[in-house]
Amino acid sequence: MNRSVHHLRRRLLSLLGVGALVGAFVATAGTPAQAAVACQVSYTKAWDNGSGFGANLTISNTGDAWTSWTLTYTWPGNQTGIQGWSANYSQSGQNVTATSLSYNGAVANGGSVGIGFNASYTGTNTNPTSFKVNGVTCNGGGTTNTPPTVALTSPSAGQTFASGAAVPLAATAGDNSGVARVEFRVDGTLVGTDTSSPYSFSATGLANGAHSATATAVDNGSPALSTTSAAVTFTVGGGTGNPVLQVSAGSLVVNEGGTGTLTYKLSAAPSGNVAVSLSRTGDADVTLSASSVTLTTANWSTGVTVTVSAAEDTDTTNGSATVTATSSAGSTTTTVTESDNDGGGCQPNCNRVDNPYQGAGVYNNPQWRTSAMAEPGGSRIANQPTGVWLDQIGAIAGNGSPTTGTMGLVDHLNEAVSQDAANGSAPMVIQIVIYDLPGRDCAALASNGELGPNDLPRYKSEYIDAIAAIMARPAYASLRIVTIVEIDSLPNLVTNTGGRATATAACDTMLANHAYVDGIGYALAKLGAVPNVYNYIDAAHHGWIGWDDNFGPTATLMFQAATASGSTVANVHGFITDTANYSALTEPYVGAVTEQLRQTRWVDWNRYNEELAFAQAFRQRLITAGFSSGIGMLIDTSRNGWGSCVQTPCQPIQTTRPTAASSSTDMNTFVDQSRIDRRIHKGNWCNQAGAGLGERPRSAPATGVDAYVWIKPPGESDGSSSQIPNSEGKGFDRMCDPTYTGNARNGNSMTGALPGAPLSGHWFSAQFRQLMANAYPPLS
């Protein structure tokens, strides 16, 4: 889907040849400077499955400049088999040595270099606590930091949960330097992280059967130490249990003079009516629209919504009240904050949570699940949450047959409400892709849409207005509706217009008529007016706008769109990168992009070479452009895993996933042998051969990132590999043809596309099977 853009401006330096530069660069390496070495080393465990683990280290220079470095430390336990990146590693007994490579040995005062490794162990896996660089002890001569303590308090051993229910994970943890975070794992896979006590997470989408849970506490020490709790086994699929009273929010902020809503429902169908009494204590300015509600066999899953009002008063302070609901199915409480917005206590849309994915379940599309289950081995991922794509006006209504035909928006929202009812007390996120702009996808043909360049009035009235009206229905007030707003649009107006070699007439038209900017502004304003909608704008990916002349202008254009058609930046909750694309999440063996690496064929003067670093940097640039400092990023990891190419066809780059950095001193060879992303060119976007599933969806995986998501449902084609007549407005794009020799957007390279692909959005069985076979992390 997303279009990478070849930079087309290799400078004179690259014409001189990277090899000459590398030779000069390697020649700078010398003996370590011993006289004024001072250093800090941080050590953070990245994963631990009980027999293997990975760790990342940051080596910081706090003294005189180094021309090369050697790091040494001693394992406190039985850790062996180290395989690392960004350094040459050796191990003798418990002693480990890591030496710099040709490109990262020079470290100035105040500079740092990141390295990492994977290894195995038996017994305990205690972190090393003393490090030396060039023979000098770092961290002020060592640390007295002690490992944290941690205990898993939920679930209890042998506990059984209903099929489809959320499993509450909770832990206690402590440390002399403070606990930085607690990581929760189910069957060895990280499912959630909490950074504040009480430490908890709600695990959703678990398959029926036995599971094992652990909690790992990581402290604030330098180096950071971690401890993993004893494993606790539990079972999913043991029946529905008795109904339990649930409320849509444990906390609620209501502006003075405004209202909010609370929805009460049951976890399972009751045998008879359940009366729920409601009371309020605390601030008398907070009132309820009802003193009681009744949940029945008809409304138990959709629930009953109560309006919470906050009266305008003369003070400038925030008040607080507690709403208590009591019934035979249990009781709940909600803390209501009456925000004095006259005094600046609450900004627009303050009723929304900071990260809608945190502690929430995410909707599993039953239609995608059916397709996945029909494939061999598809049950391993069929319960994963994926995006629901509204790619034409007709998709809003569907055909009214959720079990045998296309589900419309109402069908999906109703199903999300049902999944929410089985989700315990955790809220439910549903991900809706808004994708029908006039003149859609102006730089390609495979996913052209039904609306012409001048159809903005239809887009507003027949598409956006209809969607917003449905989402605003009270029946869906308890859902967290995440909207992915118009992929493949705004960045095209920067990269594919004007006098650029990548320009198209269609993109020039959409820039001139403002339909992209005005349409997205209108969508943000209408959808943002629904209190439980969270708008995330598509922000392309690093291989599209990572260059200097694309990066800032794209952020500026997004601000213009967010403030067009009556919208404000308050309607933007965040942005999403790599939607339906293949850019690797991280490139651990290539490392940070240096000036030398920028000149290689693959990096091609880009500032970024991985999606996570790009997303975090672009977030900061968006804030500079005028967006809120609270915006969060999403990264689509549905197809960027790039595990070993088990199921062919494969790309012409190495078929086996690298496990260490290349030792080559030729920088082009070094990058090609070290990189995870094995595409021929970053401009290749259609049905890529050799690709695999990436990180599984989860919330808050990294700083500034709200979630890793699967917005592009794995197995849905990017476009047909040959011309297929259709009534969907979709053309044939040669970038989906495996025989095509390319254009300016992919450096006139082969496309790397799979053969035999159907129209975009249609099920592509061969692609789905390849993604599973080549997944990283691998599927079990």
Side-chain angles (χ1 to χ4, degrees):
M1 289 290 181
N2 283 27
R3 310 294 171 251
S4 301
V5 181
H6 183 52
H7 201 48
L8 294 174
R9 52 179 173 76
R10 293 182 182 271
R11 293 184 170 82
L12 178 61
L13 183 59
S14 66
L15 297 176
L16 297 177
V18 176
L21 176 76
V22 172
F25 184 63
V26 173
T28 64
T31 57
Q34 300 289 343
V37 173
C39 49
Q40 292 286 326
V41 175
S42 68
Y43 178 105
T44 302
K45 196 176 297 178
W47 61 275
D48 189 330
N49 64 10
S51 60
F53 72 105
N56 296 311
L57 297 90
T58 300
I59 307 168
S60 301
N61 183 3
T62 57
D64 288 349
W66 307 331
T67 56
S68 65
W69 49 263
T70 298
L71 170 73
T72 56
Y73 64 87
T74 301
W75 291 122
N78 186 25
Q79 293 97 340
T80 60
I82 188 169
Q83 292 184 325
W85 51 91
S86 300
N88 288 318
Y89 293 84
S90 62
Q91 181 173 350
S92 176
Q94 293 177 294
N95 300 316
V96 175
T97 300
T99 58
S100 56
L101 300 176
S102 59
Y103 64 87
N104 64 1
V107 184
N109 174 266
S112 62
V113 60
I115 66 174
F117 64 85
N118 294 325
S120 58
Y121 72 95
T122 57
T124 59
N125 185 24
T126 305
N127 294 349
T129 58
S130 180
F131 302 88
K132 291 182 179 181
V133 170
N134 296 342
V136 175
T137 301
C138 301
N139 303 333
T143 176
T144 58
N145 185 33
T146 59
T149 60
V150 62
L152 195 66
T153 59
S154 177
S156 57
Q159 190 171 357
T160 298
F161 298 89
S163 178
V167 175
L169 304 174
T172 58
D175 186 72
N176 64 344
S177 63
V179 175
R181 65 186 182 276
V182 171
E183 302 169 346
F184 293 99
R185 288 176 171 80
V186 174
D187 302 329
T189 299
L190 181 68
V191 296
T193 301
D194 198 352
T195 58
S196 59
S197 178
Y199 304 102
S200 63
F201 182 79
S202 181
T204 59
L206 299 180
N208 289 346
H211 297 277
S212 175
T214 60
T216 300
V218 181
D219 69 13
N220 285 313
S222 180
L225 303 180
S226 65
T227 302
T228 299
S229 71
V232 172
T233 58
F234 62 93
T235 301
V236 173
T240 59
N242 295 323
V244 176
L245 181 65
Q246 300 171 344
V247 65
S248 58
S251 61
L252 181 68
V253 179
V254 182
N255 291 341
E256 284 187 4
T259 61
T261 59
L262 294 174
T263 300
Y264 294 93
K265 59 185 179 179
L266 297 172
S267 62
S271 57
N273 291 349
V274 175
V276 181
S277 61
L278 304 173
S279 62
R280 188 267 314 147
T281 57
D283 192 338
D285 289 338
V286 175
T287 58
L288 306 175
S289 62
S291 59
S292 65
V293 298
T294 301
L295 299 174
T296 69
T297 55
N299 69 9
W300 67 272
S301 62
T302 57
V304 177
T305 299
V306 175
T307 300
V308 182
S309 302
E312 189 75 57
D313 56 27
T314 58
D315 63 38
T316 59
T317 60
N318 294 339
S320 180
T322 300
V323 177
T324 302
T326 306
S327 73
S328 60
S331 61
T332 68
T333 60
T334 300
T335 300
V336 179
T337 300
E338 175 212 22
S339 176
D340 183 68
N341 44 8
D342 291 334
C346 186
Q347 300 302 314
N349 302 322
C350 60
N351 289 342
R352 296 187 177 96
V353 298
D354 177 62
N355 181 354
Y357 291 86
Q358 189 75 48
V362 188
Y363 176 66
N364 174 235
N365 183 343
Q367 289 190 304
W368 179 80
R369 185 178 189 278
T370 297
S371 296
M373 289 291 290
E375 300 286 353
S379 60
R380 295 174 294 174
I381 63 168
N383 289 321
Q384 292 290 352
T386 56
V388 174
W389 288 60
L390 301 181
D391 61 352
Q392 54 185 297
I393 293 169
I396 300 171
N399 67 5
S401 178
T403 57
T404 60
T406 300
M407 295 173 66
L409 178 58
V410 169
D411 299 319
H412 283 292
L413 291 171
N414 287 341
E415 174 64 19
V417 169
S418 297
Q419 291 185 21
D420 192 18
N423 196 39
S425 60
M428 176 62 65
V429 170
I430 181 171
Q431 304 168 123
I432 306 294
V433 181
I434 306 300
Y435 186 49
D436 200 29
L437 267 182
R440 186 178 78 193
D441 213 358
C442 63
L445 299 173
S447 48
N448 287 165
E450 63 186 349
L451 299 180
N454 299 313
D455 283 341
L456 184 59
R458 285 193 66 197
Y459 176 77
K460 291 180 177 180
S461 62
E462 297 180 43
Y463 184 69
I464 294 299
D465 287 356
I467 292 172
I470 292 172
M471 290 180 175
R473 293 178 184 178
Y476 310 131
S478 63
L479 298 174
R480 296 177 181 177
I481 304 174
V482 166
T483 55
I484 307 301
V485 179
E486 295 297 354
I487 67 168
D488 293 337
S489 56
L490 293 175
N492 277 312
L493 304 186
V494 174
T495 63
N496 297 321
T497 56
R500 297 197 183 203
T502 55
T504 69
C507 288
D508 283 334
T509 296
M510 302 319 298
L511 176 65
N513 70 10
H514 302 286
Y516 278 10
V517 170
D518 292 343
I520 287 176
Y522 186 83
L524 293 172
K526 293 290 290 189
L527 299 173
V530 182
N532 56 316
V533 167
Y534 298 77
N535 288 321
Y536 289 81
I537 302 176
D538 183 73
H541 52 85
H542 86 270
W544 188 348
I545 61 170
W547 290 276
D548 292 345
D549 52 357
N550 300 338
F551 194 74
T554 301
T556 300
L557 182 64
M558 289 181 173
F559 181 82
Q560 293 172 2
T563 54
S565 302
S567 181
T568 70
V569 294
N571 291 316
V572 180
H573 204 78
F575 295 79
I576 180 171
T577 76
D578 214 32
T579 310
N581 205 64
Y582 298 86
S583 296
L585 183 64
T586 60
E587 287 284 5
Y589 309 124
V590 175
V593 176
T594 64
E595 286 303 307
Q596 288 75 30
L597 289 176
R598 287 185 69 208
Q599 299 166 50
T600 58
R601 288 185 299 266
W602 175 253
V603 180
D604 191 25
W605 297 101
N606 201 313
R607 294 285 180 188
Y608 304 94
N609 190 45
E610 61 174 38
E611 209 55 30
L612 177 57
F614 165 77
Q616 292 171 324
F618 195 55
R619 175 180 178 273
Q620 293 301 319
R621 184 62 183 82
L622 289 162
I623 293 170
T624 301
F627 288 97
S628 165
S629 60
I631 57 173
M633 305 299 287
L634 305 176
I635 302 177
D636 188 348
T637 60
S638 58
R639 305 182 302 179
N640 68 352
W642 294 106
S644 295
C645 189
V646 176
Q647 182 164 320
T648 59
C650 300
Q651 298 283 339
I653 305 299
Q654 75 273 5
T655 60
T656 302
R657 182 181 174 91
T659 58
S662 169
S663 60
S664 176
T665 57
D666 177 84
M667 296 306 283
N668 280 312
T669 303
F670 169 81
V671 170
D672 281 342
Q673 291 180 348
S674 302
R675 60 182 167 102
I676 301 300
D677 189 334
R678 291 194 298 280
R679 289 176 294 175
I680 300 168
H681 190 278
K682 290 184 180 183
N684 288 350
W685 53 266
C686 193
N687 300 323
Q688 290 298 282
L693 300 168
E695 290 280 348
R696 315 304 179 249
R698 68 176 189 269
S699 68
T703 302
V705 179
D706 284 349
Y708 294 153
V709 293
W710 283 5
I711 295 302
K712 175 68 172 180
E716 290 190 3
S717 173
D718 294 325
S720 60
S721 53
S722 59
Q723 181 73 47
I724 299 178
N726 67 92
S727 60
E728 301 173 37
K730 297 171 181 176
F732 168 50
D733 196 300
R734 290 297 304 278
M735 289 298 292
C736 300
D737 179 356
T739 68
Y740 183 48
T741 56
N743 54 38
R745 296 182 195 91
N746 79 331
N748 296 298
S749 305
M750 298 298 292
T751 66
L754 287 168
L759 290 172
S760 63
H762 290 228
W763 190 254
F764 189 6
S765 177
Q767 183 206 57
F768 182 81
R769 297 184 188 195
Q770 174 193 258
L771 291 172
M772 290 194 299
N774 303 340
Y776 192 89
L779 298 178
S780 57

